[in-house]
Amino acid sequence: ARALRAESAAYDVVLMLGPMYHLPSRADRLAALGEACRVARPGGLVAVAAISRFASLFDGLTREFLFDPEFQEVVVTDLESGCHQNPRERKGWFTTAYFHLAADLRAEAEEAGLRVTDVFGVEGLAGWLPHLADRWDTEDGRRTILDAARAVETEPSLQGLSAHLLLIAHAP
């Protein structure tokens, strides 16, 4: 992702569905975003997925990891710096990663030269509520869940409720 072999302005659409959270170094993330910008044609769409800074906190509550003092330490670091670690490689815990605040994801994309359209919280609160799975299986239930997510997806004060963020941008 940091050194694509593609020619400049080669693609109408560039999808970054992983590099932003698997590159803990800011310099590496900026390089990957810069490459996405470079290989997109002028005006081309660039979609960037990221993990929310609050994902481990909410995941820890949902799966009850947060009651483990070691996981609590992981979450404190995540919230302070975004640098997620699983130092003892505990099974079921996420690997080394970077977790974004929506505003920081936007700032990194802009610094890399992208014109950001918006950042969206993908799941909203519903993503943390496993008892809604049966509701997803019905048309009315799915519509209600999606409507709830859409109601908060661009609200900065609520975007952190989503485990994942999606940035939509265009190459200059």
Side-chain angles (χ1 to χ4, degrees):
R2 294 166 290 174
L4 298 174
R5 288 177 271 183
E7 294 180 26
S8 296
Y11 299 103
D12 293 331
V13 177
V14 178
L15 301 176
M16 293 182 67
L17 305 178
M20 294 306 284
Y21 40 93
H22 289 298
L23 295 171
S25 159
R26 185 175 192 279
D28 287 342
R29 292 191 307 275
L30 289 173
L33 287 163
E35 280 293 276
C37 185
R38 180 186 67 77
V39 302
R41 69 166 172 75
L45 176 71
V46 178
V48 181
I51 296 177
S52 164
R53 177 73 54 94
F54 304 96
S56 62
L57 173 69
F58 294 133
D59 185 54
L61 279 172
T62 301
R63 300 194 305 161
E64 299 188 13
F65 294 152
L66 196 57
F67 298 95
D68 179 324
E70 186 179 345
F71 194 82
Q72 290 174 6
E73 290 177 25
V74 169
V75 170
V76 166
T77 302
D78 291 353
L79 294 174
E80 288 175 353
S81 69
C83 294
H84 178 82
Q85 300 284 324
N86 182 354
R88 292 190 349 190
E89 298 182 13
R90 297 270 301 265
K91 187 174 174 105
W93 293 12
F94 202 63
T95 188
T96 299
Y98 184 79
F99 296 167
H100 276 87
L101 295 171
D104 293 341
L105 178 61
R106 176 185 291 272
E108 286 180 2
E110 289 173 345
E111 186 172 335
L114 292 166
R115 291 180 300 137
V116 176
T117 301
D118 217 334
V119 178
F120 299 89
V122 176
E123 302 92 348
L125 179 61
W128 300 115
L129 304 174
H131 67 279
L132 295 179
D134 291 338
R135 298 282 191 168
W136 185 260
D137 293 335
T138 69
E139 187 175 328
D140 287 342
R142 186 170 37 260
R143 182 175 39 255
T144 299
I145 292 168
L146 289 172
D147 287 347
R150 286 183 188 112
V152 299
E153 67 189 1
T154 59
E155 171 52 46
S157 66
L158 297 173
Q159 287 176 322
L161 281 172
S162 290
H164 299 91
L165 303 169
L166 181 65
L167 177 134
I168 302 299
H170 293 88

